[in-house]
């Protein structure tokens, strides 16, 4: 199958490396200098240093060529972060794409839209589309280590098309029709990973981490159901699976943000040192606002947003959460 991945960051590059073993893959990036360097070195030195790009992988900065590659019975993969998704889709409009999946997780800040709503807003409802999500560190996928992902789409035919493209090798694919649930799980877990990083950075122990993850899953489910998601989705890969990985894995950028905050480092310096997008930082304000709007209780998210944007000390997360009244766990 002809597959084009639009976005040469860590996750886009990792997926391209994995799929190039079985398909004809073009990896496009908007930074022409990075793309030329990656093609020459056969390595994306900026985002995945030390991991070789397969000889069969076509790396290009020519947008028209990359889109045309997947035009007939192929697959387009948008690998931009949420902040860049709308711009990428608008650039795609004149090419009348036949289908698309996206990898980003979060909410668009200005509109509070989930990615599938942004896609619908720009491209309409007329093309098969879906999101690919789940617990997946780019470095591990690029190294050929196993992972399991979920494709969420309303179209059964397109679902089967995506499964043929992605499932195989080191990647196992499951499917869901719950776009809202899958995307809410992928967005909110990043905020909770910041909380877990803070707790670990403060030396609060495994008990506290387990409590944060468990109660964090409750917060994800509350918001997801309020926005139209299915409760069972949050017990799957895009909910519990992604949450566990992001809260506990040292490759998690959002967890690293929390660890840095616990050390007293300024947020701007932490994000600059990462060199990658930490979607939990972008997402926290939006999720807090949505929780208020929908009257959904999200105390961990509230505490993280307070640290990130209101100047609350990190120790206040612990004090605020421990001071809450006892309650029925199921509520």
């Amino acid at each position: 199958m002809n597959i084009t991945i639009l976005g040469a960051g860590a996750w886009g590059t990792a997926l391209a490396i994995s799929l190039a073993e079985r398909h004809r893959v073009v990896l496009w990036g908007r930074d022409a200098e990075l793309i030329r360097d990656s093609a020459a070195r056969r390595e994306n030195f900026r985002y995945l240093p030390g991991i070789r790009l397969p000889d069969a992988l076509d790396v290009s900065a020519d947008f028209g060529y990359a889109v045309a590659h997947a035009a007939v019975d192929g697959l387009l993969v948008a690998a931009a972060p949420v902040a860049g998704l709308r711009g990428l889709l608008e650039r795609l409009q004149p090419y009348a794409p036949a289908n698309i999946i996206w990898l980003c997780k979060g909410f668009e800040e200005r509109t509070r839209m989930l990615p599938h709503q942004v896609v619908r807003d720009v491209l309409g409802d007329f093309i098969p589309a879906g999101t690919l999500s789940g617990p997946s560190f780019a470095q591990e996928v690029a190294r050929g280590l196993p992972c399991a992902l979920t494709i969420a789409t309303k179209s059964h035919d397109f679902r089967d098309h995506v499964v043929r493209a992605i499932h195989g090798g080191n990647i196992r694919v499951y499917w869901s029709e719950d776009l809202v649930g899958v995307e809410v799980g992928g967005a909110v877990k990043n905020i909770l990973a910041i909380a877990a990083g803070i707790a670990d950075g403060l030396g609060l122990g495994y008990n506290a981490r387990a409590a944060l993850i468990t109660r964090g899953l409750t917060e994800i489910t509350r918001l997801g159901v309020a926005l139209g998601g299915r409760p069972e989705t949050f017990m799957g890969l895009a909910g519990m699976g992604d949450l566990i990985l992001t809260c506990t894995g040292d490759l998690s950028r959002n967890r690293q943000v929390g660890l840095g905050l616990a050390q007293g480092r300024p947020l701007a310096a932490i994000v600059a040192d990462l060199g990658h997008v930490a979607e939990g930082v972008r997402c926290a304000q939006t999720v807090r606002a949505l929780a208020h709007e929908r009257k959904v209780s999200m105390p961990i998210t509230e505490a993280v947003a307070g640290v990130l944007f209101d100047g609350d000390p990190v120790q206040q997360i612990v004090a605020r959460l421990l001071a809450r009244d006892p309650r029925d766990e199921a509520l």
Side-chain angles (χ1 to χ4, degrees):
M1 185 184 296
N2 287 356
I3 298 174
T4 291
I5 296 179
L6 300 172
W11 185 210
T13 302
L15 189 60
I17 290 169
S18 179
L19 297 182
E21 297 177 359
R22 299 176 281 123
H23 301 287
R24 298 171 296 278
V25 181
V26 171
L27 175 65
W28 172 86
R30 61 185 177 84
D31 186 334
E33 183 177 348
L34 172 65
I35 292 300
R36 283 194 299 269
D37 181 71
S38 297
R41 294 184 185 216
R42 304 311 297 174
E43 176 188 5
N44 187 335
F45 185 78
R46 183 182 300 172
Y47 294 110
L48 280 178
I51 298 177
R52 178 171 174 77
L53 301 181
D55 293 338
L57 177 60
D58 189 353
V59 184
S60 176
D62 185 331
F63 189 79
Y65 163 76
V67 175
H69 172 75
V72 180
D73 295 325
L75 180 66
L76 274 177
V77 181
V82 171
L85 180 62
R86 184 177 294 272
L88 178 62
L89 297 171
E90 289 172 346
R91 190 169 180 178
L92 265 176
Q93 274 182 311
Y95 296 89
N99 62 60
I100 190 167
I101 63 171
W102 51 93
L103 309 180
C104 54
K105 301 173 181 178
F107 288 85
E108 189 177 50
E109 286 183 88
R110 179 178 60 83
T111 65
R112 298 183 190 168
M113 287 181 176
L114 286 163
H116 80 273
Q117 296 169 319
V118 177
V119 173
R120 185 173 58 202
D121 193 42
V122 178
L123 299 180
D125 292 322
F126 308 108
I127 67 168
T131 184
L132 188 68
S133 191
S136 49
F137 285 144
Q139 290 184 31
E140 292 192 355
V141 172
R143 289 166 50 206
L145 298 178
C147 77
L149 302 172
T150 297
I151 172 66
T153 178
K154 299 294 186 181
S155 167
H156 289 193
D157 289 341
F158 184 55
R159 174 199 72 191
D160 294 342
H161 185 69
V162 175
V163 169
R164 284 195 299 273
I166 308 295
H167 181 80
N170 61 316
I171 300 177
R172 178 170 178 80
V173 178
Y174 295 82
W175 58 76
S176 170
E177 294 183 4
D178 185 10
L179 274 162
V180 171
V182 167
E183 289 189 329
V184 170
V188 182
K189 58 92 181 179
N190 288 323
I191 304 168
L192 301 168
I194 295 174
I198 290 173
D200 286 348
L202 293 175
L204 301 184
Y206 298 128
N207 296 338
R209 184 201 287 175
L212 277 171
I213 291 172
T214 307
R215 297 309 299 168
L217 182 60
T218 300
E219 293 195 13
I220 293 174
T221 305
R222 284 178 188 147
L223 182 65
V225 170
L227 294 176
R230 301 174 184 170
E232 62 270 21
T233 299
F234 306 105
M235 296 305 295
L237 290 167
M240 181 171 60
D242 214 355
L243 177 64
I244 291 170
L245 180 73
T246 313
C247 287
T248 63
D250 288 334
L251 293 175
S252 165
R253 296 190 293 271
N254 293 284
R255 174 176 156 76
Q256 291 298 324
V257 169
L259 290 169
L261 290 170
Q263 296 167 3
R265 300 185 61 212
L267 177 61
I270 297 168
V271 173
D273 286 349
L274 283 176
H276 297 255
V277 174
E279 289 286 6
V281 176
R282 293 182 179 274
C283 198
Q285 283 275 49
T286 299
V287 171
R288 177 167 65 172
L290 280 170
H292 290 174
E293 180 183 294
R294 299 290 179 130
K295 295 182 171 52
V296 175
S297 175
M298 301 185 72
I300 302 172
T301 299
E302 286 274 1
V304 171
V307 170
L308 292 174
F309 305 111
D310 302 338
D312 294 345
V314 292
Q315 292 81 1
Q316 190 165 320
I317 283 187
V318 184
R320 182 181 297 175
L321 294 175
L322 290 177
R324 299 183 75 234
D325 291 335
R327 63 183 298 160
D328 186 332
E329 186 181 15
L331 299 177

